[in-house]
Amino acid sequence: MEIFDMREFDAHELVVFGHDAATGLRAIVAIHSSALGPAAGGCRMWPYLTSAEAVADVLRLARGMSYKNAMAGLPLGGGKSVIIGESRKAKTPELFEAFGHFIDSLGGRYITAEDVGTTTADMTHVARATRYVAGLGAAPGAAGGDPGPKTALGVFLGIKAAVRFRLGRSDLAGISVAVQGVGGVGYHLCALLAAEGAVLSVADLRPAAVQRVCAEFKARAVAVDELLALDVDVLSPCALGAVLNAQSIPRLRARIVAGAANNQLAQGQDGAALQSAGILYAPDYVINAGGIISVAREYEGGASEAQVIADIQAIPARLSEIFERARRENRTTNAVADQIARARLGRQPHKLVA
Ligand code: NAD
């Protein structure tokens, strides 16, 4: 595997492979940039079919974390980790403790937390072996805990900013939103949207998750392969990455794409296809920073939940600035965001920035 030549490789500072024979741990940590502080980003557990697939994912995710942390003004660099395995079958406390030892061996260069496939409970096992972990349980009123609801709050406020910019509306009453994935983030997002009168359509691979949001928030259930093509005001991808690609974009009928999923654009140029179709795209790592803001405050220690919420309330203004600048300069929103983030990291503009 030629890591240095991979498309996803972007002068990452460190890529480390960790293995523990006793627990079967196979993990990779990637640090993209530590220019702004120790690298922070969650740990994804996923049944990657090949190591190359896992490396590509961790590289892409780590870079996304550099951009996200820089954009949110956090004193953190960007990194990410993956554990290769099926999260519903291969999890054991020992596996996560072994992962904690692996993280600890990096001496604080990388701070982990939960991501897709891992939970607050898993992080408590990690914390037995290292202090470089956040996203643990929090006392009432204190910063921390599951980052999902905080991510949902940032996405909700970001959707409102996008609706204001693209549709000229300051409220969500009657605004139609299609949510792809109603898991940790999507569920809480639906709760916030429904409370403001948005009309919800939802899809998820897990029928029970769909039934819950339909029952609690009067959402309409839609088949997974139909959701992306719905004629709605807002499409909110809250499942996995690369949903915006050459095949899906021509099918989209939404006016706005604004969701929690990381790496929504399969490639940088997909942002141009969205722009040409008149679709306003809220760059993923700007709108979904609520969780890492919470993790950062928790890790720093002594912060309250109210402070976390106040920090998250800065997300819509950040997005509005990107929307305005993209319109003024006739550029894509993702190119504008990437340029701002890379400048903060002291990196040259990326070759995909247009
Ligand atoms: P999750 O695993 O709890 O939920 C994801 C849901 O999407 C699951 O219910 C899953 O069944 C569903 N899903 C998967 N593929 C789907 C498909 N093709 N169509 C419809 N549904 C599908 O994960 P989460 O914590 O809610 O995170 C969602 C996304 O947001 C991920 O991309 C994650 O990286 C990103 N994100 C999460 C956070 C956080 O704080 N949890 C922060 C930033 C970004």
Side-chain angles (χ1 to χ4, degrees):
M1 195 193 317
E2 293 294 341
I3 294 178
F4 293 114
D5 298 332
M6 287 174 81
R7 193 161 55 93
E8 293 80 6
F9 185 75
D10 176 41
H12 288 66
E13 292 175 11
L14 187 79
V15 182
V16 201
F17 293 75
H19 177 247
D20 179 63
T23 59
L25 175 74
R26 287 185 300 152
I28 312 171
V29 171
I31 296 178
H32 175 256
S33 168
S34 53
L36 301 176
C43 167
R44 177 166 295 192
M45 186 164 183
W46 195 255
Y48 298 101
L49 295 179
T50 64
S51 322
E53 200 186 302
V55 170
D57 206 30
V58 78
L59 290 175
R60 208 171 20 229
L61 290 164
R63 184 178 71 179
M65 288 312 301
S66 284
Y67 288 7
K68 189 185 306 197
N69 295 341
M71 212 64 180
L74 298 171
L76 295 170
K80 200 91 180 184
S81 54
V82 295
I83 295 178
I84 301 171
E86 170 59 69
S87 67
R88 293 198 188 131
K89 294 186 194 141
K91 272 188 190 181
T92 60
E94 293 75 21
L95 180 101
F96 282 100
E97 195 170 335
F99 176 71
H101 284 293
F102 175 37
I103 299 309
D104 204 59
S105 72
L106 300 174
R109 292 179 72 181
Y110 167 69
I111 301 155
T112 198
E114 54 270 71
D115 188 60
V116 174
T118 60
T119 63
T120 307
D122 300 330
M123 292 307 123
T124 60
H125 301 308
V126 174
R128 288 211 295 264
T130 186
R131 61 193 170 94
Y132 306 118
V133 56
L136 305 163
D146 178 7
K150 300 295 184 296
T151 301
L153 174 62
V155 172
F156 168 70
L157 297 172
I159 287 175
K160 291 185 76 163
V163 165
R164 206 174 304 119
F165 184 85
R166 177 69 174 77
L167 306 176
R169 286 273 305 272
S170 56
D171 68 312
L172 295 181
I175 293 287
S176 50
V177 186
V179 182
Q180 183 193 41
V182 285
V185 178
Y187 169 80
H188 292 282
L189 176 63
C190 286
L192 294 166
L193 291 168
E196 288 229 354
V199 179
L200 302 177
S201 304
V202 299
D204 196 293
L205 301 176
R206 295 183 301 130
V210 172
Q211 279 156 19
R212 186 177 174 207
V213 289
C214 289
E216 291 184 23
F217 312 125
K218 297 200 177 79
R220 180 171 73 99
V222 177
V224 163
D225 52 355
E226 284 169 27
L227 186 107
L228 286 180
L230 289 182
D231 184 0
V232 286
D233 295 311
V234 184
L235 169 65
S236 188
C238 295
L240 292 177
V243 284
L244 306 172
N245 54 49
Q247 288 71 46
S248 67
I249 293 172
R251 295 177 59 219
L252 301 189
R253 287 188 289 160
R255 265 66 77 190
I256 294 164
V257 174
N262 285 311
N263 299 321
Q264 290 170 35
L265 300 174
Q267 299 187 49
Q269 58 260 37
D270 293 320
L274 289 173
Q275 187 190 30
S276 306
I279 299 169
L280 178 67
Y281 170 63
D284 45 16
Y285 59 83
V286 185
I287 195 171
N288 73 10
I292 194 70
I293 289 170
S294 169
V295 160
R297 283 287 194 184
E298 174 188 343
Y299 188 73
E300 167 192 292
S304 67
E305 187 179 27
Q307 278 170 303
V308 172
I309 290 170
D311 290 348
I312 292 172
Q313 278 162 349
I315 289 176
R318 223 169 269 143
L319 278 171
S320 301
E321 198 185 315
I322 291 166
F323 296 155
E324 290 290 352
R325 191 166 149 190
R327 177 158 67 187
R328 214 171 42 239
E329 299 174 5
N330 191 25
R331 297 170 68 205
T332 63
T333 52
N334 55 303
V336 168
D338 286 3
Q339 189 183 28
I340 297 169
R342 290 187 77 83
R344 289 185 186 179
L345 296 169
R347 299 239 179 166
Q348 296 297 316
H350 195 264
K351 53 182 179 295
L352 286 177
V353 171

